[in-house]
Amino acid sequence: MLAFLGIGAQKAGTTWLHTMLSQHPLLKLPQAKELHYWDKQFPQSPVQNYLNFFQQADRLEGEITPSYASLPVTTIQVIHQHLPQLKLIYSLRNPIDRAWSAACMFLTRAQMELDEASDQWFLDHFYSKNSRLRGDYETCIRHWTAIYPKENLLLLDYDQIKSEPVTVLQRCCAHLELPDFTENQLQSMLLTAKVFEGRGYELRPALKQALIHLYTPQIHSLSRYLKQDLSHWTQD
């Protein structure tokens, strides 16, 4: 039975998380990271077909698809009907950095170089409905916790993934009620896996100011909602 979902965020360390959790001896994740069932295949494909994919009797199973964070409440309700005990993992990253990293990813997919893309090209991406929804963490959290208990949702910090990966994995294991990775496992895993940050393009000053303007109200609201100081996300 499917035990957990990694629901996002896009460009917030989910590939690293999939790689790490896949190596836990009591966990099983699909070889392909993103199944995209709930955002692209449902409801055309029957839910039971999806659930039948998870039939490992001796291990907890899960999957990570970053776009699940922004699923509509109606879809989350269906997930809950089938999987009421589901655990959730959601990695948050500075939405300004996330939006830039995502835009650079789409730039690569368009087979373009940085100097071929105008500021307007990037602004159109930043202000697109999809990009804004992926960066609206508070709305996503509220939607999921309207259906699932808050204790079912583990929030991770992308910066902590980079600076304290062992702590992040320990938190994941505790959330999933699993024993921690052994020291030998951690040493071999962390030597071979790094957090992918994107192409490393430098954010243009004008675009940075546009992103700060776009996300500052959301950052302040999220900070109040989580009761955490997130002011560093808007600092130059």
Side-chain angles (χ1 to χ4, degrees):
M1 179 63 70
L2 181 64
F4 76 92
L5 286 179
I7 61 173
Q10 181 197 56
K11 312 307 293 182
T14 56
T15 299
W16 177 90
L17 189 64
H18 180 275
T19 301
M20 295 295 97
L21 294 182
S22 294
Q23 297 178 67
H24 195 290
L26 297 180
L27 282 176
K28 180 175 173 56
L29 286 79
Q31 185 173 0
K33 173 190 158 199
E34 301 178 21
L35 294 186
H36 284 290
Y37 172 75
W38 293 106
D39 62 319
K40 292 186 177 179
Q41 301 174 47
F42 173 79
Q44 291 78 14
S45 175
V47 174
Q48 194 57 50
N49 289 354
Y50 171 73
L51 297 179
N52 287 343
F53 186 82
F54 304 95
Q55 296 188 355
Q56 191 79 28
D58 59 343
R59 288 190 282 176
L60 289 183
E61 295 191 85
E63 69 125 330
I64 299 174
T65 301
S67 53
Y68 288 170
S70 53
L71 289 173
V73 172
T74 51
T75 301
I76 300 172
Q77 289 173 328
V78 175
I79 297 173
H80 185 266
Q81 289 169 9
H82 292 274
L83 301 160
Q85 306 301 321
L86 193 68
K87 298 290 184 71
L88 308 164
I89 300 176
Y90 190 17
S91 177
L92 307 184
R93 180 181 183 180
N94 181 334
I96 295 168
D97 295 339
R98 192 220 67 80
W100 175 244
S101 181
C104 291
M105 178 180 70
F106 282 100
L107 185 75
T108 300
R109 290 181 180 177
Q111 298 184 329
M112 296 171 60
E113 295 297 329
L114 183 63
D115 58 4
E116 297 179 282
S118 65
D119 282 2
Q120 190 60 51
W121 187 94
F122 282 106
L123 290 171
D124 289 343
H125 185 274
F126 298 156
Y127 280 87
S128 67
K129 180 180 178 180
N130 184 273
S131 181
R132 295 190 65 176
L133 187 56
R134 286 179 184 268
D136 186 0
Y137 306 140
E138 182 179 344
T139 294
C140 295
I141 293 169
R142 287 182 181 276
H143 284 176
W144 279 94
T145 56
I147 309 301
Y148 280 93
K150 288 185 178 180
E151 56 266 26
N152 283 40
L153 174 64
L154 173 65
L155 296 179
L156 300 180
D157 181 345
Y158 174 84
D159 291 331
Q160 189 178 41
I161 289 175
K162 294 173 62 180
S163 63
E164 302 177 62
V166 173
T167 299
V168 170
L169 291 177
Q170 289 172 337
R171 293 184 63 208
C172 289
C173 288
H175 184 61
L176 300 175
E177 300 180 47
L178 293 172
D180 286 341
F181 289 92
T182 67
E183 190 63 31
N184 287 340
Q185 288 172 331
L186 288 171
Q187 288 298 323
S188 62
M189 291 160 53
L190 298 176
L191 286 174
T192 59
K194 296 182 180 180
V195 182
F196 180 67
E197 299 186 54
R199 290 285 294 272
Y201 291 136
E202 184 176 354
L203 179 55
R204 299 171 186 168
L207 296 178
K208 183 172 184 177
Q209 289 305 311
L211 285 170
I212 290 174
H213 175 77
L214 177 62
Y215 282 108
T216 292
Q218 289 185 8
I219 291 171
H220 288 167
S221 181
L222 180 65
S223 181
R224 292 190 296 269
Y225 177 65
L226 296 179
K227 298 181 174 145
Q228 295 180 17
D229 182 9
L230 301 174
S231 59
H232 59 285
W233 278 359
T234 57
Q235 293 173 356
D236 291 334

